[in-house]
Amino acid sequence: MVRDGTRKTTKDDGSGRKWAVLLAAGVAAATVGFAGGWGTEGDTATNFGILAGMGIAFAGAALVMLWITRGARAIGDDPGGAAKRERLQTQRSRQLWVFPVLTAFFLIQAIPAVGNIIDRTADTGDFVQMLLPVLYAWLATAIAMGWDGQSRKERKFLEDELTRVLRARAMAWAFIALMAGVTVSLGVGLWRPELGIVSLPLVLSAAGATAAIRFVWLDREAGKDG
């Protein structure tokens, strides 16, 4: 809204540049993977294929994050911060929806790596693929808990009594998911130890996704109640 003939001014927070760099790096990695793997066989082809897959995944994640952060900018004529608060909270909700989806994507990509690990034929790329969904689950959890850089920087806009209540409820669900998953992994591990170990990334990913999705769901329901 324009007041007293003044115009809105925006200030880039730098987040767009960060994700643009990640997008460029992902595209470059995918290009190198496809170009280097063309006509090769065996482990060389596998490693280049992993590089290409990771490049595509990171480029896709960067595109999503660019979409999420496209409107998250400080507005010069918003002294009360109401507009900025709404944008930042919307950005947080979008992130908490997207990261569980990315976690699921990386889990699907990790399925061949699981087989290689169980068969004891895994290489470094397989272990990296197993760890990626756990990384994104931690990112989702960090955002839900307010541990990420954006949440710390904009604490006065993102931290309030309602947020703390929703966070506590969301993390309670995540803890239940974690306990249930680890219990199942323990049972599987008593039968086949290697399966119990490789199931842990799935458990950690599920717990992180539970925290994120539950927080967004509760936030949405709270918004409906006014």
Side-chain angles (χ1 to χ4, degrees), residues 52-63:
M54 291 177 61
I56 293 172
F58 281 116
L63 283 173

Side-chain angles (χ1 to χ4, degrees), residues 4-215:
D4 301 329
T6 59
R7 299 180 62 184
K8 290 183 180 181
T9 57
T10 61
K11 178 177 65 177
D12 191 349
D13 62 2
S15 59
R17 290 192 296 271
K18 175 180 66 178
W19 296 116
V21 170
L22 180 60
L23 173 61
V27 171
T31 302
V32 171
F34 283 118
W38 187 267
T40 60
E41 297 179 353
D43 292 339
T44 301
T46 300
N47 291 333
F48 276 115
I50 292 172
L51 178 62
M54 291 177 61
I56 293 172
F58 281 116
L63 283 173
V64 171
M65 295 307 299
L66 281 170
W67 168 71
I68 288 174
T69 59
R70 74 189 190 283
R73 297 166 187 255
I75 301 298
D77 62 345
D78 182 29
K84 184 175 182 180
R85 181 188 304 274
E86 182 178 354
R87 279 192 302 276
L88 289 172
Q89 291 180 350
T90 299
Q91 177 185 347
R92 178 177 62 189
S93 295
R94 287 178 177 176
Q95 288 176 325
L96 290 176
W97 275 122
V98 168
F99 276 115
V101 174
L102 293 175
T103 299
F105 175 80
F106 283 119
L107 277 173
I108 293 172
Q109 272 206 326
I111 291 176
V114 173
N116 293 337
I117 292 172
I118 293 175
D119 295 337
R120 300 183 184 277
T121 59
D123 55 18
T124 303
D126 294 318
F127 289 103
V128 171
Q129 284 187 305
M130 284 293 294
L131 292 176
L132 279 175
V134 178
L135 171 63
Y136 274 85
W138 267 106
L139 288 174
T141 303
I143 294 172
M145 291 296 297
W147 294 338
D148 61 298
Q150 180 78 353
S151 296
R152 293 198 304 269
K153 179 181 177 182
E154 306 290 356
R155 187 174 296 276
K156 67 178 180 179
F157 296 107
L158 293 173
E159 191 75 20
D160 52 30
E161 186 64 30
L162 177 60
T163 296
R164 288 189 285 271
V165 171
L166 300 184
R167 179 180 297 148
R169 294 180 180 178
M171 296 310 296
W173 277 64
F175 180 73
I176 293 172
L178 181 63
M179 288 292 294
V182 171
T183 300
V184 172
S185 292
L186 175 61
V188 172
L190 293 175
W191 170 49
R192 291 188 61 182
E194 67 277 10
L195 285 179
I197 293 174
V198 298
S199 67
L200 288 176
L202 174 61
V203 173
L204 293 170
S205 300
T210 299
I213 294 173
R214 185 61 178 168
F215 184 96

